[in-house]
């Protein structure tokens, strides 16, 4: 936590221990910094106060895993995925999943499993498409769903989790173009195929031995394969190169975008407006989404097509060093232009 007036006034004199008495969302190192910052803060204070009232909702998760388990996920990523994320292709998703509880019950994963810390990436994609209405995309889709995924960072070390899209969108081939400046130079242009089904944990289930289960070598497996391609650079710079090898996207998804924080978003949003594609954004907190929405409206002249709403599949571990006392989570809120 840092003083809300840092950079607005004189040098901070100590830790930010003086919280705003109205919203309680920001803090200051001194009375003088609080006073000098009021002309700016008064525009956001009431809005932040409303957001603070919903803190309990942000922290509402069904999980029972321990802090030690979160360390285990970071240290043993692939073992966790293999042991805690079995998928039985005989039992595809049959109803819309609206919460982590729905998802864990469907996948028969115990609530003490911390695998949601990884799975919030593909589940956020799933929720984004459901939120804008899968019916809005269906007329455009034959057998392949094309997603342009902007600004990957931590996901670059966890690409295996996108295999879960096979289960979430059965019968479709999923092509994801991951585009961003954090893609390493040596991975620029790399193609990754995630097409192999894993058997479930039920030893007697037919998925362990049935000839009905698709394998990577036959056509049915390929029909629900997930393919990833990585592109280094900003979306507005790489878009023309990407569509040389693949048709335009059905949807653009930008996780934890920080639209208001990075000027590089301006030409990207102008491009998205020009190509007339549905674009879904997420961010760590509601205030970041509000600021992003203001930027987008200034650029496009249009209101959001999907208002800011809480993402039920946000990562269930709070982000540390937030500038606000409001808890922040990866992919916490979602909205669309």
């Amino acid at each position: 936590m840092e003083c809300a007036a840092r950079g607005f006034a004189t040098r901070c004199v100590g830790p930010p221990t003086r919280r705003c008495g109205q919203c309680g969302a920001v803090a200051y190192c001194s009375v003088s910094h609080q006073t000098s910052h009021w002309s700016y803060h008064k525009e956001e204070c009431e809005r932040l106060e409303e957001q603070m009232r919903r803190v309990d909702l942000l922290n509402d998760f069904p999980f029972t895993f321990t802090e030690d388990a979160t360390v285990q996920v970071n240290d043993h990523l692939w073992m966790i995925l293999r042991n805690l994320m079995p998928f039985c292709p005989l039992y595809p998703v049959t109803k819309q999943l609206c919460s982590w509880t729905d998802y864990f019950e469907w996948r028969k994963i115990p609530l003490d499993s911390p695998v949601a810390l990884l799975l919030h990436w593909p589940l956020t994609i799933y929720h984004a498409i459901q939120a804008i209405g899968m019916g809005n995309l269906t007329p455009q889709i034959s057998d392949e769903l094309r997603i342009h995924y902007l600004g990957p960072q931590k996901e670059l070390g966890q690409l295996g989790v996108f295999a879960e899209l096979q289960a979430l969108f059965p019968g479709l081939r999923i092509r994801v173009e991951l585009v961003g400046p954090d893609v390493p130079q040596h991975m620029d242009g790399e193609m990754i195929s995630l097409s192999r089904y894993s058997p479930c944990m039920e030893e007697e289930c037919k998925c362990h031995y049935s000839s009905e289960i698709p394998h990577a070598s036959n056509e049915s497996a390929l029909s629900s394969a997930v393919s990833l391609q990585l592109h280094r650079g900003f979306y507005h710079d790489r878009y023309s190169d990407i569509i040389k090898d693949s048709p335009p996207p059905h949807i653009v998804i930008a996780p934890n975008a920080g639209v208001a924080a990075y000027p590089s978003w301006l030409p990207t949003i102008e491009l998205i407006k020009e190509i007339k594609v549905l674009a879904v954004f997420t961010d760590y907190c509601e205030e970041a989404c509000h600021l992003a929405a203001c930027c987008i409206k200034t650029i496009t002249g249009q209101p959001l097509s999907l208002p800011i709403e809480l993402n039920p599949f946000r990562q269930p571990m709070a982000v540390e060093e937030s500038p606000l006392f409001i808890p922040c989570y990866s992919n916490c809120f979602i909205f669309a232009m």
Side-chain angles (χ1 to χ4, degrees):
M1 192 74 189
E2 63 182 30
C3 177
R6 183 178 179 183
F8 282 83
T10 56
R11 190 173 181 178
C12 289
V13 297
T17 56
R18 184 181 180 85
R19 291 173 67 165
C20 173
Q22 181 171 326
C23 70
V26 298
Y28 300 91
C29 67
S30 63
V31 174
S32 61
H33 272 204
Q34 184 173 5
T35 302
S36 63
H37 191 247
W38 175 246
S39 60
Y40 174 85
H41 179 61
K42 66 182 180 181
E43 297 179 8
E44 64 181 8
C45 188
E46 185 175 348
R47 188 172 64 245
L48 290 175
E49 185 179 9
E50 284 294 318
Q51 295 174 25
M52 285 289 284
R53 293 194 183 108
R54 297 189 283 270
V55 164
D56 288 344
L57 186 61
L58 298 187
N59 294 327
D60 185 19
F61 294 104
F63 304 113
T64 58
F65 58 78
T66 64
E67 186 175 348
D68 288 343
T70 67
V71 176
Q72 186 183 26
V73 167
N74 292 328
D75 291 345
H76 305 288
L77 169 62
W78 302 117
M79 184 175 70
I80 292 291
L81 285 176
R82 183 175 179 181
N83 293 338
L84 299 182
M85 198 185 70
F87 168 51
C88 179
L90 289 178
Y91 303 101
V93 60
T94 56
K95 67 174 184 177
Q96 184 173 336
L97 305 173
C98 299
S99 67
W100 278 121
T101 300
D102 286 351
Y103 173 78
F104 270 54
E105 287 179 353
W106 167 58
R107 294 295 257 107
K108 296 179 173 58
I109 301 174
L111 290 175
D112 62 357
S113 166
V115 74
L117 297 175
L118 304 173
L119 287 174
H120 76 292
W121 302 116
L123 266 294
T124 292
I125 292 177
Y126 169 83
H127 179 67
I129 291 173
Q130 300 300 327
I132 62 172
M134 188 67 182
N136 294 332
L137 296 178
T138 301
Q140 310 168 39
I141 301 170
S142 53
D143 63 343
E144 180 180 69
L145 173 59
R146 295 185 298 276
I147 301 168
H148 285 189
Y149 188 98
L150 311 189
Q153 294 179 324
K154 292 182 179 179
E155 306 96 304
L156 295 171
Q158 304 169 356
L159 293 176
V161 301
F162 291 101
E164 184 67 356
L165 294 173
Q166 297 174 79
L168 295 167
F169 298 102
L172 284 177
R173 286 184 293 118
I174 313 292
R175 182 177 177 114
V176 185
E177 310 285 347
L178 296 101
V179 192
D182 289 306
V183 173
Q185 188 68 53
H186 71 274
M187 296 180 74
D188 187 18
E190 182 174 343
M191 284 281 298
I192 300 170
S193 178
L194 306 171
S195 59
R196 183 180 181 276
Y197 285 117
S198 299
C200 70
M201 294 181 70
E202 300 293 331
E203 292 185 5
E204 300 302 318
C205 182
K206 288 192 292 184
C207 74
H208 286 273
Y209 53 83
S210 173
S211 60
E212 299 174 16
I213 303 306
H215 295 281
S217 59
N218 52 31
E219 186 177 346
S220 55
L222 293 175
S223 69
S224 46
V226 177
S227 61
L228 313 176
Q229 186 164 21
L230 290 91
H231 308 270
R232 178 178 172 83
F234 293 115
Y235 188 56
H236 51 271
D237 292 329
R238 298 304 309 268
Y239 179 76
S240 58
D241 295 332
I242 295 168
I243 62 171
K244 285 179 183 177
D245 301 321
S246 173
H250 296 113
I251 185 172
V252 169
I253 296 177
N256 299 324
V259 170
Y262 301 103
S264 56
W265 274 110
L266 192 154
T268 289
I269 291 169
E270 290 178 336
L271 171 64
I272 291 170
K273 178 186 177 183
E274 179 183 336
I275 62 178
K276 297 180 180 179
V277 64
L278 288 164
V280 180
F281 302 81
T282 74
D283 222 314
Y284 291 99
C285 68
E286 188 175 358
E287 182 63 11
C289 293
H290 169 80
L291 297 174
C294 293
C295 292
I296 290 171
K297 186 175 181 180
T298 299
I299 296 168
T300 66
Q302 300 293 325
L304 298 177
S305 59
L306 175 70
I308 299 166
E309 61 180 43
L310 188 63
N311 176 14
F313 297 108
R314 61 198 179 279
Q315 187 183 46
M317 185 168 66
V319 175
E320 297 179 357
E321 298 181 3
S322 167
L324 302 172
F325 279 100
I326 300 173
C328 295
Y329 296 94
S330 178
N331 292 319
C332 192
F333 283 87
I334 188 170
F335 62 96
M337 60 170 282

